[in-house]
Amino acid sequence: MDRNLDPSIVAERMQEPNIFRKDELEVVGQRTPKNKHLPDAFGLRAPPPAPRPWRGGSSSSSSTAPSLVDSLFQRSLDDLIKSLRSQPASAEPVLLSRALAEIRREIRSPDPDTKAVALQKLTYLSSIHGLDASWAAFHALELLPSPSPLHKRLAYLAASLSFHPSTTDVLPLSTHQLRKDLSPSSPPPFSSLALHLLSLSASPDLARHLASDLIPLLSPRASSTITNTKNNNNNSSPLRPKAAAAALRALSLCPDAVPLLFKPLVDCLSSPVPRIVSTAVGAFAELVSTTDPAPYLPLAPEFYRLLTDSRNNWVLIKLLKIFARLAPLEPRLAARLVDPLCDLLRRSSAQSLVFECVRTIFSGFPDHDHALRLAVDKVKEFLANDDDPNLRYLGLRALTMIGPRNSWAVEESRDSVIRSLADPDPDPNIRREALRLIMGMVFDTNVVEISVMLVNYAMKSDPVFANEILDAVLTTCGRNVYELIVDFDWYVSLLGEMVRNPHCAKGEEIERQLVDIGLRVRDARPELVRVARDLLIDPALLGNPLLCRILSAAAWVSGEYVEFSRNRLELVEALLQPRTSLLPPLVRAVYIQAVFKVLAFCFNSYIDQPEASQVSSLGNSTTGLGLTIECNAAAANCLSDDITGMESADGIASLLSSIEKKDPFFTCEYLSHILYLIETAVGPLSENADVEVQERARNVLGLIHMLKEIPVWKTEEEGFKKDKDNRIGKIMNLMRALFSEELGPVSVNAQKRVPVPEGLVLKENLADLAMILTEGDIAPSMSISFSLRSHQHMEIKDEAMPSVQSTSLLAEHRKRHGLYYLSAEKDDTESNDFPHALDPLLPGSHSDATEDLVKLTEQSLIPRKVKPTKPRPIVLKLDEGDGVSTSTSTTVKESKDDLLSGAIHDVLLGNEGKPSSSQKRSSNKSSGRRVKEVSDNSESVSQSKENLDLGDRENRSSRRSKHRSHDKERHRSSQNNEEKEEKSHRNSTRSSHHHERQKHRQRGEAPLNVVPQAPVIQDLLL
Amino acid sequence: MIRFILLQNRQGKTRLAKYYVPLEDSEKHKVEYEVHRLVVNRDPKFTNFVEFRTHKIIYRRYAGLFFSMCVDITDNELAYLECIHLFVEILDHFFSNVCELDLVFNYHKVYLILDEFILAGELQETSKKAIIERMGELEKQE
């Protein structure tokens, strides 16, 4: 670099690229900002190079350090942005990396201007292009102490955008500079910047160290002196509200700061400057909503005063939020608040405020009919707003809050709710809320109509919403062990109907409910088996992976309750149809197990036939139901009594008739046909790759072989019967014993009742296990895929088997169940073409559907007292905890919250002195003002009464607290003690900054101590 | 409390991002991507509120720019919607008929305005006039 370069030439060269780029931009046709000179006017660009002092060759000699050329020819941010914009997007990565390399060099420059511009460019790149800027944290810190407001601002901006409280390791280094900028002697814009950084990136440590420095900024006197000297504008002291916001962050970060910061923050509430009050209220709203609200109760009179005085909607909304949290804790508060709330509701034209009032009334004061009525009317106005979806949505939201106790309100707006659901082009949000509301209106009298309507509607909706509907219906109907369901036959068929929805993805829940109803509701079993049969027989369903879990449940149900099946042959065929090969192995295993049960049942029935025909007694019919023959007469009687007790007489009669009807089927040919069918279909599966399928298949085949080995089997029916007591009878009895015991629901708490065996340590750390099970070891996976034979061998067999057999089987199956196959050779997985059992409205015009929907619900949503046609069957429940969702979930509070609220509790309740005095002072002032302003002074009277009430509570709770039980008389002296305590506490925790801190504190607390504390007022309060 | 504010264009390019809760960089990028995907395809006739994880996004579209604000689930939706509009009005006033490029070239000033408007996730000032005045003061200082 030539040192004797003429500065004017340099200046000329600097101009060139800029002009050139500008031209380029215009050619490209991109818009340049209107005020091109703004960056310069704002001072953010590097100043022209000419006046820059020469620094000699030291910086240019080193190869890594930025050379003078870099400083001279440094690109400004505008240049960078323009160059980025003028290039196509594909070149961006190259440009970015080049710019980054440039910045890395420039940022190390000793010249603050160069450094500042580099930092500015980096900040831009990191915030807009997402480049990492954390590496430059130190450089931002370097620039923080700069006396130039411009550099300082750049540095603070970079810091606030890139600093992260937990990962920026240089953060503690900023403590000193922040303190310096926060001090009252520094200019307010600097303090303002420091407050911003503090509120954005503070770590708990930083907050702890700087908490005391916030006090002077928070106190009214200090901030007014600053503004007096600097601004001469007393009203708009810009720092106090900022300090309040920063104090909020500091409080939530480190609860230790509560004794320091809380009182100044409370004082902000009584400031005459609306902006300060607004911020303080916002801070308290945040504190109350994130922590335990109880400690803030003593501030209620202050908030109440603001609620009646303030005209700022933002403040009012925040106040309502606070009261919504406080009201449940203090019942007397609600009565006090209702009037101002109704006032606001009537008076305000701001929808946001109106909505907040409605929300507060619905959630907090459900007992005040007058207010409720007013709020419901407002909600109706919201809902009637057809052109503003926001208001309609919020109206629906509000209705969901109203709770079951006042369901009349929802009932009144029924039409709007239904309309929102059936809207042709609805927002998913609105639809979801409408659905939630409709489900909230479901009673046992209308559950049938609403569910059918919704399930039909789901047929026509988009996949996402269809599943939301199904989910809502399933959860509502399944709530509290099906407490809403009277007619289980209907419900079971509805479950079957849901499966027919092409978008149905609720397999898991439907599976659970199908099995669960089977276990719990004895009377629903025949219908359950019928529904399961319809599902199993349909080959189209087998191709849908979402439904396989439902099919698994259907297979299990029809196997377990095979006695209710009309046609076992058909069932076996359905369970063994060729397309079952599409099912996952675990479901297939369930299918084969079901076949096993059917087989066992058929043989049992065949053996028992003569008895059944000879003695048509109840005891025998129950043996037909699969009870063991071994169980003695007494037990059988006992059981039959049990059944008669539970079932109605006609239920038994139909049971008997169905059994009688079935009986003729069990002939020798019938059985041998079933045997043949099972053998051909299950045979190939005995060498299936999946061990579960293989095992079940071998079980079935083993039984068949055993039966076939018995020579008697081949003889005539007579001979077979004579041989009954021999092997076949024994085998079948054994099989029967296997499946006879009825499966029941298992209590949720069952596991708890199992005693832990001795020597078993449940809580032992299993970390070692990870070491043992390293990669390549046996992964604890669920899919068991090993087999006894080699894989290669298996695969060949697997492929060969179905290809030989499946074509013929498929053809046969198609012939038999032509209904379920498509006429053309199309893909069978298309599930749209099968007839829907319960759906009367197949794709019609949309408007029709909507009208139907409205009509349907109009009838059904009115809770009617309809006498159920048949009594609700018994639903098995085990104990209290079984299936009942316990809604009283205790919220686990964070320890920090506890600390914070505990600390605030201490400050407000234990140490009543200062806050209560400020409270009283302000409320007294305000009530005095109101007497002057408002002619009707009943309000102020009531308020002072409230003060009394709250004071009472305060006193009580303070007496309750163990550590700080003061006497009223010794109140002030104890307060002094408190102060000393506080002092010593702080000194002990932060001994390093002892002197400085003390200075600050004195300055900060001085105005507070001056506040006159009239003992009379205090007595009134307490 | 406001968790973050995002200004994104229709292509998903972030024009301004201010986080009032500390997030890692990777998490920020994820959030920006997710928020853009959530709001960009919504019909103009839809509501301006979307649920986002455990919070909710209040957003509003101005020409090609989406102004999104993430707030707590209990916060007042309409108030924050007004808040967005106020912010846009301030920008509009400050840049006299604001457009996306103004924000690109003056991004630091947008931050400055935002800082006068919102601090620590809480609204600082609801008066447009006051903010404009204060911005004027800040500009005068330099």
Side-chain angles (χ1 to χ4, degrees):
Chain A
M1 177 74 215
D2 186 7
R3 276 218 225 160
N4 303 322
L5 197 67
D6 185 2
S8 63
I9 298 174
V10 175
E12 249 180 58
R13 282 199 196 151
M14 278 299 287
Q15 294 295 321
E16 261 178 23
N18 271 343
I19 293 163
F20 176 65
R21 284 209 190 86
K22 236 177 264 166
D23 288 347
E24 207 175 49
L25 262 181
E26 271 154 22
V27 170
V28 177
Q30 273 163 325
R31 187 184 173 281
T32 49
K34 274 168 266 83
N35 31 14
K36 285 177 201 114
H37 300 292
L38 258 178
D40 284 328
F42 215 53
L44 285 170
R45 229 178 99 178
R52 195 177 289 170
W54 295 95
R55 273 176 216 278
S58 61
S59 63
S60 59
S61 60
S62 139
S63 61
T64 51
S67 64
L68 186 62
V69 189
D70 290 328
S71 301
L72 285 176
F73 293 101
Q74 189 183 22
R75 286 199 290 174
S76 74
L77 175 64
D78 267 16
D79 296 338
L80 176 69
I81 297 174
K82 280 173 191 164
S83 77
L84 277 171
R85 290 185 64 82
S86 62
Q87 300 294 322
S90 56
E92 201 181 274
V94 183
L95 283 177
L96 284 181
S97 62
R98 200 182 301 156
L100 200 61
E102 196 178 278
I103 290 167
R104 275 180 191 277
R105 208 168 50 238
E106 289 165 4
I107 209 163
R108 274 177 302 188
S109 157
D111 174 33
D113 288 326
T114 315
K115 193 190 277 291
V117 173
L119 194 62
Q120 184 188 23
K121 286 194 284 188
L122 181 65
T123 311
Y124 175 81
L125 291 181
S126 77
S127 65
I128 303 297
H129 295 276
L131 297 187
D132 175 39
S134 54
W135 58 270
F138 185 72
H139 298 292
L141 271 184
E142 276 182 321
L143 216 53
L144 281 184
S146 164
S148 147
L150 165 69
H151 291 167
K152 211 178 193 67
R153 190 180 302 158
L154 276 177
Y156 269 111
L157 177 64
S160 68
L161 288 178
S162 66
F163 281 16
H164 189 281
S166 53
T167 54
T168 305
D169 44 2
V170 295
L171 194 62
L173 298 179
S174 65
T175 317
H176 177 67
Q177 185 56 39
L178 281 172
R179 175 168 296 136
K180 217 170 124 192
D181 284 336
L182 286 174
S183 79
S185 53
S186 69
F190 287 12
S191 308
S192 159
L193 288 170
L195 285 173
H196 274 286
L197 183 62
L198 189 62
S199 65
L200 281 178
S201 319
S203 62
D205 277 344
L206 201 62
R208 188 173 302 118
H209 288 139
L210 293 172
S212 58
D213 298 282
L214 289 173
I215 295 171
L217 297 170
L218 272 173
S219 57
R221 188 160 303 180
S223 75
S224 66
T225 50
I226 293 168
T227 44
N228 270 334
T229 51
K230 301 280 171 191
N231 263 350
N232 245 355
N233 185 0
N234 199 8
N235 276 340
S236 66
S237 57
L239 288 182
R240 203 171 166 204
K242 287 184 181 179
L248 161 69
R249 181 53 64 91
L251 282 179
S252 53
L253 279 174
C254 93
D256 304 356
V258 167
L260 281 175
L261 293 174
F262 199 71
K263 285 167 219 165
L265 205 56
V266 171
D267 287 341
C268 284
L269 286 175
S270 47
S271 161
V273 184
R275 194 173 162 217
I276 295 171
V277 177
S278 158
T279 328
V281 169
F284 277 108
E286 186 61 29
L287 282 174
V288 171
S289 68
T290 51
T291 56
D292 176 21
Y296 301 91
L297 262 179
L299 291 173
E302 187 69 20
F303 292 137
Y304 183 85
R305 177 187 67 79
L306 287 169
L307 186 71
T308 46
D309 281 1
S310 178
R311 288 289 172 271
N312 182 333
N313 287 340
W314 184 259
V315 173
L316 289 173
I317 288 172
K318 290 280 178 194
L319 284 169
L320 288 178
K321 290 237 168 287
I322 294 174
F323 278 121
R325 292 273 290 170
L326 294 183
L329 302 174
E330 175 58 67
R332 282 167 295 183
L333 211 52
R336 206 43 71 232
L337 282 169
V338 164
D339 285 338
L341 264 177
C342 292
D343 239 33
L344 283 177
L345 257 184
R346 276 191 221 101
R347 207 181 55 209
S348 177
S349 57
Q351 303 285 26
S352 50
L353 182 57
V354 169
F355 176 63
E356 200 56 51
C357 288
V358 168
R359 177 146 62 181
T360 313
I361 289 174
F362 280 0
S363 56
F365 317 114
D367 304 323
H368 295 80
D369 293 337
H370 170 60
L372 210 58
R373 183 72 256 166
L374 205 63
V376 168
D377 288 343
K378 283 285 176 193
V379 167
K380 278 187 193 160
E381 281 174 32
F382 274 30
L383 288 174
N385 233 311
D386 278 337
D387 50 342
D388 191 345
N390 287 340
L391 288 185
R392 267 201 296 150
Y393 168 68
L394 292 179
L396 293 173
R397 273 310 291 259
L399 283 183
T400 53
M401 279 174 236
I402 206 162
R405 275 177 61 204
N406 290 304
S407 56
W408 56 268
V410 185
E411 194 57 44
E412 279 182 15
S413 326
R414 193 184 62 226
D415 292 350
S416 321
V417 174
I418 308 280
R419 219 159 5 97
S420 305
L421 184 71
D423 205 343
D425 186 24
D427 184 341
N429 285 341
I430 293 185
R431 265 190 333 198
R432 199 172 303 134
E433 290 304 327
L435 179 65
R436 204 176 293 170
L437 278 173
I438 291 178
M439 291 330 284
M441 285 189 265
V442 170
F443 303 99
D444 52 355
T445 47
N446 60 7
V447 64
V448 175
E449 289 94 333
I450 293 183
S451 302
V452 167
M453 178 268 289
L454 285 176
V455 169
N456 281 334
Y457 184 65
M459 279 287 185
K460 294 180 286 282
S461 358
D462 55 296
V464 177
F465 193 53
N467 278 309
E468 267 173 39
I469 292 179
L470 294 186
D471 192 44
V473 173
L474 283 171
T475 22
T476 309
C477 293
R479 197 173 51 211
N480 267 356
V481 201
Y482 317 99
E483 64 175 1
L484 286 176
I485 310 295
V486 176
D487 183 356
F488 275 90
D489 287 357
W490 161 78
Y491 185 57
V492 167
S493 62
L494 184 79
L495 288 178
E497 179 62 10
M498 287 182 186
V499 182
R500 303 293 181 182
N501 190 309
H503 309 303
C504 174
K506 293 281 151 214
E508 226 162 288
E509 181 63 15
I510 296 177
E511 176 205 24
R512 192 191 69 76
Q513 294 201 1
L514 281 176
V515 173
D516 199 39
I517 292 175
L519 295 177
R520 287 177 196 273
V521 192
R522 202 178 274 262
D523 283 2
R525 285 173 192 167
E527 180 64 13
L528 202 59
V529 169
R530 195 194 63 73
V531 168
R533 174 243 174 220
D534 287 350
L535 295 178
L536 290 175
I537 212 162
D538 186 350
L541 298 180
L542 286 166
N544 188 345
L546 293 173
L547 300 182
C548 62
R549 305 215 36 185
I550 303 170
L551 291 177
S552 145
W556 183 84
V557 161
S558 36
E560 186 66 23
Y561 308 115
V562 62
E563 63 268 19
F564 298 111
S565 173
R566 295 263 159 78
N567 188 344
R568 279 81 183 202
L569 191 61
E570 185 190 61
L571 181 62
V572 169
E573 275 173 349
L575 287 170
L576 295 173
Q577 61 180 301
R579 281 174 63 90
T580 50
S581 58
L582 295 171
L583 291 171
L586 282 176
V587 178
R588 256 193 132 176
V590 177
Y591 266 60
I592 298 169
Q593 187 71 2
V595 170
F596 192 82
K597 286 179 190 167
V598 175
L599 181 67
F601 174 77
C602 289
F603 269 86
N604 270 326
S605 311
Y606 179 68
I607 294 166
D608 290 339
Q609 261 182 105
E611 279 179 10
S613 56
Q614 279 161 19
V615 206
S616 63
S617 72
L618 207 64
N620 265 324
S621 77
T622 43
T623 53
L625 286 170
L627 292 168
T628 51
I629 216 158
E630 281 92 340
C631 76
N632 55 35
N637 280 342
C638 180
L639 243 143
S640 59
D641 282 348
D642 213 52
I643 289 170
T644 36
M646 285 198 282
E647 292 173 356
S648 56
D650 58 340
I652 294 279
S654 69
L655 219 66
L656 278 173
S657 66
S658 73
I659 285 164
E660 270 164 32
K661 235 189 286 167
K662 274 177 283 177
D663 279 345
F665 279 105
F666 296 113
T667 59
C668 207
E669 297 85 65
Y670 182 80
L671 288 180
S672 56
H673 183 65
I674 286 187
L675 271 183
Y676 168 75
L677 201 70
I678 295 174
E679 213 176 357
T680 42
V682 175
L685 295 179
S686 65
E687 289 176 356
N688 191 286
D690 189 87
V691 77
E692 280 287 318
V693 176
Q694 203 183 86
E695 188 178 3
R696 303 289 161 93
R698 279 172 186 256
N699 280 349
V700 176
L701 292 175
L703 179 66
I704 292 176
H705 286 313
M706 210 148 60
L707 292 172
K708 282 201 164 172
E709 272 170 18
I710 301 167
V712 140
W713 170 246
K714 288 165 191 124
T715 64
E716 280 301 299
E717 209 173 308
E718 282 295 306
F720 176 61
K721 267 182 196 156
K722 274 182 200 153
D723 197 53
K724 203 178 96 183
D725 292 333
N726 280 338
R727 289 171 66 190
I728 243 184
K730 276 177 189 160
I731 291 168
M732 285 337 290
N733 281 344
L734 210 65
M735 287 298 126
R736 198 188 345 223
L738 211 59
F739 297 122
S740 64
E741 199 170 319
E742 192 165 317
L743 299 175
V746 178
S747 160
V748 180
N749 303 327
Q751 181 67 45
K752 276 185 215 154
R753 291 195 215 111
V754 179
V756 179
E758 262 179 67
L760 177 66
V761 189
L762 283 173
K763 286 180 180 164
E764 200 176 11
N765 192 359
L766 292 178
D768 302 348
L769 212 62
M771 303 242 295
I772 298 163
L773 284 175
T774 43
E775 295 168 57
D777 253 335
I778 323 141
S781 78
M782 286 299 110
S783 63
I784 308 148
S785 56
F786 58 87
S787 65
L788 295 172
R789 304 177 187 203
S790 74
H791 268 282
Q792 221 173 3
H793 179 67
M794 291 302 298
E795 272 160 25
I796 295 165
K797 283 227 163 186
D798 229 26
E799 278 165 29
M801 280 304 183
S803 61
V804 173
Q805 298 219 337
S806 65
T807 38
S808 61
L809 280 171
L810 196 63
E812 202 184 329
H813 195 266
R814 182 184 288 267
K815 203 169 68 193
R816 216 179 262 276
H817 303 286
L819 173 70
Y820 294 107
Y821 284 91
L822 299 175
S823 52
E825 285 292 310
K826 268 201 261 168
D827 189 7
D828 279 307
T829 46
E830 246 182 85
S831 49
N832 273 329
D833 287 346
F834 53 79
H836 306 299
L838 279 179
D839 185 15
L841 331 149
L842 271 173
S845 73
H846 190 85
S847 60
D848 283 357
T850 314
E851 274 167 31
D852 283 346
L853 191 65
V854 176
K855 246 184 286 167
L856 254 168
T857 40
E858 254 169 33
Q859 301 152 5
S860 59
L861 286 182
I862 313 157
R864 286 169 300 178
K865 279 284 155 229
V866 183
K867 206 156 166 60
T869 46
K870 57 175 168 179
R872 187 170 190 266
I874 287 156
V875 181
L876 227 63
K877 284 191 198 180
L878 291 174
D879 52 359
E880 290 296 302
D882 180 32
V884 182
S885 58
T886 43
S887 57
T888 52
S889 58
T890 47
T891 47
V892 184
K893 272 181 222 140
E894 281 176 40
S895 59
K896 194 181 264 182
D897 282 0
D898 280 338
L899 275 173
L900 179 56
S901 57
I904 288 165
H905 196 272
D906 284 352
V907 169
L908 275 176
L909 297 180
N911 187 4
E912 291 124 316
K914 281 174 203 167
S916 53
S917 71
S918 74
Q919 238 174 74
K920 195 56 230 168
R921 179 166 45 92
S922 53
S923 57
N924 203 32
K925 203 169 46 186
S926 74
S927 60
R929 207 189 307 154
R930 205 175 296 106
V931 173
K932 262 180 263 161
E933 285 167 3
V934 190
S935 56
D936 177 17
N937 65 352
S938 64
E939 232 177 329
S940 67
V941 172
S942 66
Q943 197 201 338
S944 60
K945 212 187 287 167
E946 185 186 62
N947 280 347
L948 273 169
D949 288 344
L950 292 170
D952 254 4
R953 190 195 154 83
E954 199 174 305
N955 197 19
R956 259 183 278 126
S957 41
S958 70
R959 233 178 279 151
R960 242 183 281 131
S961 72
K962 277 178 195 167
H963 329 287
R964 308 183 177 208
S965 54
H966 307 288
D967 232 339
K968 260 181 272 177
E969 284 78 19
R970 285 189 300 155
H971 175 77
R972 249 172 306 158
S973 63
S974 68
Q975 179 200 326
N976 287 338
N977 288 338
E978 274 318 305
E979 251 177 56
K980 274 174 207 153
E981 218 177 278
E982 217 171 75
K983 237 181 256 179
S984 64
H985 171 67
R986 248 179 300 143
N987 288 349
S988 63
T989 48
R990 276 159 302 170
S991 51
S992 56
H993 302 288
H994 185 90
H995 297 290
E996 199 178 338
R997 188 71 34 66
Q998 210 155 34
K999 221 169 28 190
H1000 279 309
R1001 186 169 37 73
Q1002 276 161 2
R1003 211 181 300 136
E1005 287 179 354
L1008 287 170
N1009 289 336
V1010 179
V1011 172
Q1013 295 174 6
V1016 188
I1017 295 170
Q1018 226 147 37
D1019 281 343
L1020 188 74
L1021 188 85
L1022 297 168
Chain B
M1 179 192 170
I2 302 166
R3 303 280 147 161
F4 56 78
I5 295 174
L6 289 180
L7 261 68
Q8 294 169 311
N9 66 10
R10 242 180 305 178
Q11 289 76 44
K13 267 203 183 297
T14 305
R15 290 300 176 212
L16 173 90
K18 184 93 178 178
Y19 293 86
Y20 296 100
V21 283
L23 287 181
E24 293 292 340
D25 272 0
S26 57
E27 183 66 16
K28 283 181 186 174
H29 297 161
K30 219 171 111 196
V31 162
E32 282 162 33
Y33 173 73
E34 281 179 32
V35 170
H36 175 252
R37 236 185 22 180
L38 264 180
V39 299
V40 77
N41 286 325
R42 282 174 66 86
D43 195 287
K45 277 180 288 178
F46 285 5
T47 56
N48 294 79
F49 325 125
V50 211
E51 279 175 23
F52 175 70
R53 299 183 188 175
T54 52
H55 299 279
K56 60 191 172 197
I57 301 279
I58 315 292
Y59 76 97
R60 199 157 178 167
R61 186 179 155 175
Y62 291 89
L65 268 188
F66 288 94
F67 288 71
S68 314
M69 227 177 230
C70 179
V71 297
D72 288 342
I73 209 78
T74 51
D75 276 328
N76 190 308
E77 290 92 344
L78 292 172
Y80 282 105
L81 199 62
E82 282 166 31
C83 180
I84 290 178
H85 189 67
L86 183 62
F87 181 50
V88 174
E89 272 185 2
I90 294 168
L91 288 179
D92 199 45
H93 191 275
F94 188 80
F95 293 107
S96 54
N97 199 7
V98 69
C99 75
E100 195 179 334
L101 265 158
D102 292 327
L103 306 183
V104 172
F105 281 91
N106 299 297
Y107 86 104
H108 42 272
K109 265 190 270 185
V110 182
Y111 277 116
L112 218 57
I113 298 175
L114 190 62
D115 283 349
E116 284 302 321
F117 189 42
I118 295 163
L119 174 59
E122 298 294 328
L123 208 61
Q124 277 287 298
E125 179 62 84
T126 47
S127 152
K128 184 169 127 191
K129 209 177 113 233
I131 293 179
I132 300 277
E133 269 174 17
R134 208 148 326 119
M135 286 304 291
E137 272 171 38
L138 283 175
E139 286 208 315
K140 240 184 288 164
Q141 280 172 11
E142 284 138 23

